[in-house]
Amino acid sequence: MNRSAYLTTGMAIKTLSRLSRANIVIHGREHVPGNAAIFVVNHFTRIETFFLPYHIFNLTGIPVWSLANAKLFQGGFGRFLELVGAVSTRDPQRDELVIKTLLTGEANWIIFPEGSMIKTKKIMHGGKYMVTDPKGMHEPHTGAATLALRAELFRRYLLLHSKKRSSQANCSLEYLGLGSVEEMGNAAPTIVPVNLTYYPLRAHENVASSLTEKLVKGVSERVLEEIMTEGTMLLAGVDVDIRFGKPIDIGAQLAHLVSDEELLQSDFNSFVGAPFFKTVIQGSGRRIMQQYMRAIYSMTTVNHEHLFASFLRMYPYEKIQKKDLQRRVFYAASLLQEREYQHLFLHKSMQEDQSHLVVDDRYRKFENFLQLAIDKGIVKKEGETLVRDRSKLSAPVSFHRGRIDNPVEVIANEVEPLKALQKFLYSLAWQPDFLLKLFLIRYLLKKANQQYHSAVEQWCSMSGIQKGSGKPIFYSSIQKRTGILLVHSYLATPLEVKEFAGYLHKKGYWVYAPRLPGHGTCAADLAGRSYQEWINEVDAGYALLSNTCRRVVVGGVSVGGNLALHLASRVPDIAGVFAICPPMQLRDYSSTFMPASDTWNKMVQKIKGEHPDEQFLKFAAESPHINYDRNPVQGIKQVGNLLDDLEKRFAKVTMPSLIVHADHDPVVRRKGSRKLFDRLASVQKEYVLMNSDRHVIVQGAGVEKVFQRVRLFIEGAEAQ
């Protein structure tokens, strides 16, 4: 192998990888051994052949060679494969080269145990790992295991006979092309399972496929399919999770099978050809192969499309409501995230808050998958109902056309080896819709309460802790099917709106008042929170009520009102939105909340200072038992970020809207809320001034008028 040519070609691959828009994330770096190893990898695209050696080389500093199908070594492409360190599976010196380089540590190796690309991702048949290719079905190859076992046998044989100064050691050295035993490393070779998961999986016309069709006459269907699929992945910014598993110690695997005495008693010729050793290698090789196949596929990185595709396949009825499918995926993703279910590995997007799946789909997880399923004829839409084509969800997928014609089935196939996941999803797929809704409500309430108690426990040693006032409020009802999502203000807790919530509940409404993260504990907790966390919590509250009630009205006090408007700008299904004393910009606040501009600038400069007290402002709270008496500078910045974000969204608030403000509000200037009102796109909207000199007008004297005015608005929204 020409090392100079290998490194030069590696530079070309490095350049190509920089041009690619693929987002590659490497996991399990700690599992990459320092000694020579065979990396066994699942094989879905040609991309692995080019980019994986480059990334492994970056981790180890050792050249990476690979075994490749002999049919690929034709013309210029064959020469390129040789330059990147690929060796034909039909090379007569293949085994000796692998064994020698493993012993010397000269190179690591990549071997694809499937023997070919698994374009359909169908690797399980009858509960066993079986490879399907155009020629038929067969077990994964044991080559990686047998080569590693043979290398370890040679290593032990050489070490034992060299210590005895036996002539058999020289025979072994000559056979492997080694000058001395010292060229050999001390550690046994290992096998490292590697999994690559691509997300999202798409295939369509791209620049590369278009050029190929124009420039190459008679291009085969196979080649065109690979360019369309893999070109799309590279050019469209696919996420690639490369996950290294725990190495399999071949020395430990072999130690109890072959004794030192047996190796010392064998001369070299009988050692190389002895039926006993071949039997040991073959039997152990098959067992080790099953071990690394399980390891490879257990590391599949589960993503949203795996869940959507699996539920479409498992759902017992021909038709499913769009919201029902979203609800099932939301519940499944949330449970998988929190329980770390059966040691599954989750895509980064599934390690975050999942409320968007049933609220506004702002990351288009559902919409993108649904469009794929519709485009490929897997489902068709009838209003809000999806009608599935069962024949395309269970029929065998064409080997060379599956990734283009039926990617949904390919996506579902990928997680078939994850048996615990399959059982879990199957149980949810068969759950009746009404029962699933009950489970979901119970889950969301339990989660909100657990988060609160965990936060209190975490910050209990801090001064100013507010025990008990931060618990979310939930009132159910059997009289009406309208839910009210009620959001408290900045620096407060749900206790602030408890009287209001009780009033609405007595009128027959379902009411939920969530706790905004960082509130109900201490100011130090709030200082580390972002406004996106507040949005997520409000979204979770909407998810709770919308799964129970026919209509949901959202509203809040001060910044809570801004959060309600933010939700309304993203969810047109909301029946109505109201905000009580909401600011439009930070400058709408008086000095009781915001310092003068010169003081503010000084505070921002000191935010990274050594004195923690300089990161907080004194706050004259209207309700000391509810509000913090310190206002974090970082918290004010997050309020500003929220208001800046919301300012771009007013034109998207189209449902009935109500803005209520105190005419002598000491905290928020009413000019700001009036300007906010004017910017709303709602056809039916109303601005109401209440006679009060307080900011939080849902507490204290005169609240009945505020409550009644909001109730009239809710009744009007219900009538729409």
Side-chain angles (χ1 to χ4, degrees):
M1 188 70 65
N2 187 326
R3 181 179 174 85
S4 176
Y6 171 85
L7 294 176
T8 302
T9 309
M11 293 296 293
I13 292 177
K14 181 178 181 181
T15 303
L16 183 60
S17 68
R18 287 175 176 173
L19 294 175
S20 166
R21 295 181 63 187
N23 306 308
I24 297 176
V25 181
I26 297 176
H27 310 270
R29 296 170 187 262
E30 68 277 10
H31 296 318
V32 178
N35 58 298
I38 296 177
F39 294 85
V40 285
V41 189
N42 60 316
H43 198 11
F44 180 61
T45 71
R46 302 282 179 208
I47 297 172
E48 293 104 25
T49 307
F50 305 126
F51 288 102
L52 192 56
Y54 164 70
H55 288 288
I56 293 177
F57 176 75
N58 281 347
L59 291 171
T60 64
I62 301 173
V64 182
W65 299 345
S66 59
L67 293 181
N69 194 307
K71 293 180 181 179
L72 298 176
F73 289 83
Q74 298 177 9
F77 187 68
R79 175 59 180 155
F80 177 75
L81 286 175
E82 292 175 353
L83 290 175
V84 298
V87 175
S88 170
T89 52
R90 293 182 183 173
D91 188 310
Q93 296 182 322
R94 179 197 69 182
D95 291 2
E96 289 80 1
L97 179 62
V98 174
I99 292 170
K100 175 187 175 182
T101 52
L102 285 176
L103 291 176
T104 61
E106 182 181 352
N108 288 316
W109 285 84
I110 290 176
I111 294 179
F112 302 106
E114 296 97 335
S116 61
M117 290 194 296
I118 308 297
K119 294 183 178 182
T120 65
K121 294 194 177 181
K122 183 69 175 177
I123 193 68
M124 297 297 293
H125 296 271
K128 296 181 180 180
Y129 291 100
M130 298 293 290
V131 177
T132 302
D133 59 33
K135 291 184 178 180
M137 191 179 296
H138 60 82
E139 281 194 332
H141 298 308
T142 59
T146 56
L147 286 169
L149 287 166
R150 288 179 63 189
E152 173 59 5
L153 275 174
F154 268 106
R155 191 184 74 85
R156 285 179 58 191
Y157 188 85
L158 265 170
L159 289 174
L160 289 169
H161 282 277
S162 63
K163 286 181 180 179
K164 296 287 185 179
R165 300 185 182 277
S166 166
S167 60
Q168 305 306 316
N170 294 328
C171 295
S172 300
L173 292 171
E174 184 179 348
Y175 178 82
L176 295 172
L178 297 176
S180 66
V181 176
E182 284 71 26
E183 293 181 30
M184 188 174 62
N186 294 322
T190 57
I191 294 179
V192 182
V194 185
N195 179 278
L196 282 83
T197 309
Y198 301 90
Y199 173 63
L201 172 59
R202 298 291 185 272
H204 52 71
E205 292 285 342
N206 54 61
V207 174
S209 61
S210 299
L211 285 175
T212 301
E213 286 188 289
K214 290 179 180 179
L215 299 177
V216 182
K217 294 183 178 180
V219 60
S220 70
E221 180 182 70
R222 177 184 64 81
V223 171
L224 188 59
E225 183 270 346
E226 290 177 7
I227 294 174
M228 287 177 65
T229 303
E230 297 165 27
T232 300
M233 288 181 173
L234 292 175
L235 298 174
V238 66
D239 288 348
V240 185
D241 284 276
I242 303 175
R243 204 173 293 276
F244 295 93
K246 293 181 179 180
I248 299 172
D249 186 347
I250 298 301
Q253 297 277 339
L254 197 60
H256 66 283
L257 297 174
V258 179
S259 67
D260 290 351
E261 184 178 354
E262 288 172 313
L263 291 174
L264 284 170
Q265 289 178 353
S266 302
D267 61 36
F268 182 73
N269 290 329
S270 62
F271 166 72
V272 173
F276 168 72
F277 294 124
K278 288 185 177 180
T279 301
V280 168
I281 288 174
Q282 289 173 355
S284 299
R286 192 170 184 278
R287 176 175 50 79
I288 294 171
M289 178 271 289
Q290 292 291 335
Q291 184 179 348
Y292 59 63
M293 288 300 292
R294 285 193 298 270
I296 291 170
Y297 285 96
S298 70
M299 293 188 293
T300 298
T301 303
V302 179
N303 58 56
H304 290 99
E305 294 196 343
H306 288 138
L307 304 187
F308 281 120
S310 296
F311 277 128
L312 275 185
R313 176 190 276 180
M314 297 173 178
Y315 193 68
Y317 306 110
E318 180 183 356
K319 297 181 180 181
I320 182 171
Q321 296 298 310
K322 283 176 55 179
K323 288 185 177 180
D324 187 23
L325 179 57
Q326 289 175 272
R327 187 181 300 117
R328 290 174 193 273
V329 172
F330 165 64
Y331 191 36
S334 299
L335 291 179
L336 290 173
Q337 176 192 109
E338 293 195 352
R339 297 181 183 178
E340 298 181 354
Y341 198 86
Q342 296 292 326
H343 309 293
L344 292 175
F345 298 100
L346 304 180
H347 184 265
K348 60 184 179 182
S349 63
M350 285 186 58
Q351 299 174 26
E352 303 164 352
D353 183 87
Q354 300 296 303
S355 299
H356 57 89
L357 291 170
V358 288
V359 176
D360 61 349
D361 193 29
R362 58 183 173 273
Y363 306 119
R364 297 181 63 83
K365 298 295 183 183
F366 176 64
E367 187 60 35
N368 287 340
F369 175 82
L370 179 59
Q371 193 58 55
L372 174 69
I374 292 172
D375 290 345
K376 300 304 178 181
I378 308 299
V379 300
K380 62 179 180 180
K381 287 176 63 177
E382 294 181 355
E384 293 299 305
T385 302
L386 303 178
V387 182
R388 302 177 302 148
D389 185 342
R390 287 182 177 275
S391 66
K392 293 187 176 181
L393 286 166
S394 57
V397 180
S398 167
F399 185 80
H400 287 309
R401 291 287 306 178
R403 298 189 296 187
I404 294 176
D405 295 341
N406 198 348
V408 172
E409 185 72 357
V410 174
I411 292 168
N413 286 343
E414 186 170 30
V415 289
E416 274 190 345
L418 302 175
K419 295 181 180 179
L421 177 66
Q422 293 291 303
K423 184 178 179 181
F424 169 69
L425 296 180
Y426 191 82
S427 67
L428 289 184
W430 281 72
Q431 203 70 255
D433 189 31
F434 78 91
L435 195 56
L436 187 74
K437 287 181 179 180
L438 292 177
F439 288 157
L440 193 52
I441 293 170
R442 185 177 65 180
Y443 162 76
L444 289 170
L445 287 173
K446 183 178 179 181
K447 177 183 176 182
N449 283 302
Q450 285 179 339
Q451 287 177 336
Y452 169 59
H453 292 303
S454 296
V456 169
E457 184 177 346
Q458 179 182 352
W459 296 97
C460 63
S461 62
M462 299 294 291
S463 60
I465 188 75
Q466 295 179 329
K467 293 183 179 179
S469 68
K471 186 178 180 180
I473 297 169
F474 177 67
Y475 296 135
S476 61
S477 174
I478 59 173
Q479 297 181 40
K480 294 191 178 184
R481 294 307 302 272
T482 298
I484 313 298
L485 180 61
L486 200 53
V487 188
H488 66 78
S489 68
Y490 176 71
L491 298 178
T493 71
L495 191 59
E496 178 183 66
V497 296
K498 185 172 183 179
E499 184 180 355
F500 194 7
Y503 169 85
L504 293 171
H505 179 239
K506 288 178 181 178
K507 299 300 179 181
Y509 295 104
W510 293 68
V511 186
Y512 181 61
R515 178 192 71 96
L516 300 179
H519 295 77
T521 50
C522 63
D525 181 14
L526 181 57
R529 300 294 182 166
S530 71
Y531 82 94
Q532 187 60 56
E533 292 181 81
W534 304 337
I535 288 174
N536 289 341
E537 197 61 35
V538 173
D539 282 3
Y542 176 76
L544 189 156
L545 289 175
S546 63
N547 278 290
T548 307
C549 306
R550 291 194 183 98
R551 293 172 299 272
V552 177
V553 175
V554 300
V557 180
S558 190
V559 172
N562 297 104
L563 288 164
L565 288 165
H566 197 288
L567 177 63
S569 73
R570 295 180 282 113
V571 185
D573 290 342
I574 287 173
V577 58
F578 64 90
I580 299 172
C581 302
M584 180 171 175
Q585 298 172 321
L586 273 182
R587 64 171 174 261
D588 296 328
Y589 280 101
S590 70
S591 59
T592 60
F593 180 85
M594 279 284 295
S597 59
D598 58 336
T599 307
W600 168 257
N601 292 332
K602 291 178 182 178
M603 290 300 301
V604 172
Q605 292 174 2
K606 291 180 178 180
I607 194 66
K608 296 182 180 179
E610 297 179 358
H611 302 291
D613 290 341
E614 295 178 344
Q615 299 177 18
F616 299 88
L617 303 173
K618 288 290 184 182
F619 180 67
E622 288 185 357
S623 303
H625 64 294
I626 294 174
N627 300 108
Y628 293 148
D629 60 1
R630 295 197 305 163
N631 188 355
V633 173
Q634 286 287 12
I636 297 174
K637 291 176 70 175
Q638 290 304 313
V639 172
N641 292 339
L642 168 65
L643 299 183
D644 290 344
D645 185 357
L646 180 58
E647 192 171 358
K648 309 166 190 174
R649 299 175 176 272
F650 292 128
K652 296 181 180 179
V653 179
T654 57
M655 66 284 297
S657 305
L658 171 68
I659 305 298
V660 180
H661 207 106
D663 58 357
H664 292 90
D665 189 331
V667 176
V668 174
R669 300 183 182 96
R670 72 186 192 191
K671 287 183 179 180
S673 66
R674 181 70 203 196
K675 189 184 298 184
L676 180 156
F677 171 80
D678 292 338
R679 296 278 296 277
L680 299 179
S682 305
V683 174
Q684 299 181 30
K685 60 180 181 178
E686 188 174 359
Y687 186 86
V688 177
L689 276 178
M690 305 297 293
N691 181 23
S692 177
D693 59 358
R694 288 177 291 104
H695 175 56
V696 181
I697 56 176
V698 295
Q699 290 182 315
V703 295
E704 294 83 3
K705 292 182 179 180
V706 178
F707 294 170
Q708 290 171 7
R709 188 63 195 81
V710 174
R711 177 176 60 81
L712 289 173
F713 166 74
I714 294 171
E715 290 175 350
E718 285 182 290
Q720 296 296 315

